[in-house]
Amino acid sequence: MDMVTPVLARDLAVLGRVSEETSSESVLRGLTATLAGGVPGCAGGSAELWRQERMVVSASHSELIVLLDSEEELGEGPSSEARSTGRHVIVQDVLREPRWPSYTAMAVRCGVRSVLAMPIVVERAVLVLGMYGVRPGVFAARNVPPLAEMLAEQVGVALANMWDYDEVRTDAAQMQEALAGRAIIDQAKGIIMKSSGCSAEAAFDELRRISQHHQVKVADLAKLLVEEHQRNREAKQEG
């Protein structure tokens, strides 16, 4: 049976849309649910995002998280082999799989009888996708290449969009922080200018001198000065 279906193609395309709530975790959760619901014979899906070490792991069922964690502890299994070799790994029946006896025993306890592990190299990481069947022989080797091609394309787009969006959000947050710091420094300079009658340049030099002496950032010092000034003004008003 062909593993590439219209439902799978549609749901994978949706993963590429980003919003304020988009994260690595949300993309992988959506991906594992899509695999479980869109690949014929697949009863559950998992995803491990690796860079130098595993960054994020997700699965459609809690039992599969247990299986992945066990595989990492054992250092053997289809996902581990797929990641180390860069090739797809198919287990037609875990009861007849001689390569990883400890893993297969855990797989049976988790209700898994067949496994397809698929590594996908994306821009900044390696994503290992796992598909699990409750019956043996549900993943045919001849159907893997078109599925792998679709997943590599759509998942690559989804992760690239998410990372680009994260960079934009980070840049915006840093700019906002810089603007806020500049505003508080301007307020502190105004306080110094008013109290000493000096110029704006001299007020900033004084802030910088004090910050260096106490080994604090100019923005942090300015915030303390503004807060103290506000407290003193409120105390006078109450008096």
Side-chain angles (χ1 to χ4, degrees):
M1 183 184 295
D2 190 357
M3 288 192 283
V4 177
T5 64
V7 171
L8 178 64
R10 179 201 65 200
D11 291 347
L12 285 174
V14 171
L15 292 176
R17 302 172 187 169
V18 296
S19 67
E20 287 289 340
E21 291 75 32
T22 302
S23 64
S24 298
E25 291 82 357
S26 68
V27 170
L28 296 189
R29 280 197 305 270
L31 179 56
T32 58
T34 296
L35 294 175
V39 176
C42 180
S46 68
E48 297 174 276
L49 189 60
W50 292 82
R51 199 168 279 176
Q52 293 180 342
E53 55 187 35
R54 187 164 61 172
M55 298 165 59
V56 185
V57 60
S58 183
S60 58
H61 298 77
S62 59
E63 293 87 352
L64 298 180
I65 295 288
V66 173
L67 184 58
L68 287 174
D69 287 343
S70 298
E71 183 173 353
E72 186 177 3
E73 291 175 6
L74 293 169
E76 65 172 33
S79 294
S80 297
E81 180 158 325
R83 182 168 63 91
S84 63
T85 64
R87 297 193 297 268
H88 312 317
V89 177
I90 300 178
V91 179
Q92 295 292 358
D93 189 349
V94 297
L95 294 180
R96 300 176 182 273
E97 177 53 66
R99 288 175 288 182
W100 317 294
S102 298
Y103 170 83
T104 55
M106 177 61 73
V108 170
R109 286 198 290 272
C110 292
V112 171
R113 285 293 299 274
S114 52
V115 182
L116 168 59
M118 186 178 298
I120 296 175
V121 178
V122 291
E123 180 184 355
R124 313 179 191 190
V126 174
L127 180 67
V128 181
L129 301 178
M131 282 155 270
Y132 307 85
V134 296
R135 295 179 291 105
V138 298
F139 304 118
R142 67 180 181 276
N143 294 328
V144 171
L147 176 63
E149 183 178 351
M150 171 180 280
L151 286 171
E153 180 180 354
Q154 297 290 352
V155 173
V157 168
L159 290 175
N161 287 348
M162 180 202 69
W163 284 324
D164 288 345
Y165 191 62
D166 278 348
E167 287 182 0
V168 170
R169 285 191 294 193
T170 299
D171 290 345
Q174 290 175 344
M175 182 176 293
Q176 188 74 20
E177 183 178 354
L179 291 173
R182 184 177 300 175
I184 202 75
I185 289 171
D186 286 343
Q187 290 184 53
K189 283 164 55 179
I191 293 170
I192 295 173
M193 291 165 63
K194 185 176 180 179
S195 62
S196 64
C198 66
S199 66
E201 183 178 355
F204 182 73
D205 288 342
E206 180 66 8
L207 272 174
R208 187 166 51 189
R209 184 189 66 78
I210 297 172
S211 72
Q212 290 173 349
H213 178 74
H214 292 283
Q215 295 184 341
V216 297
K217 294 179 180 179
V218 171
D220 293 340
L221 176 64
K223 183 179 179 181
L224 291 172
L225 178 60
V226 170
E227 288 175 349
E228 182 180 2
H229 179 73
Q230 182 67 25
R231 286 195 298 270
N232 291 338
R233 187 168 62 180
E234 290 174 355
K236 288 181 180 178
Q237 290 174 351
E238 290 176 359

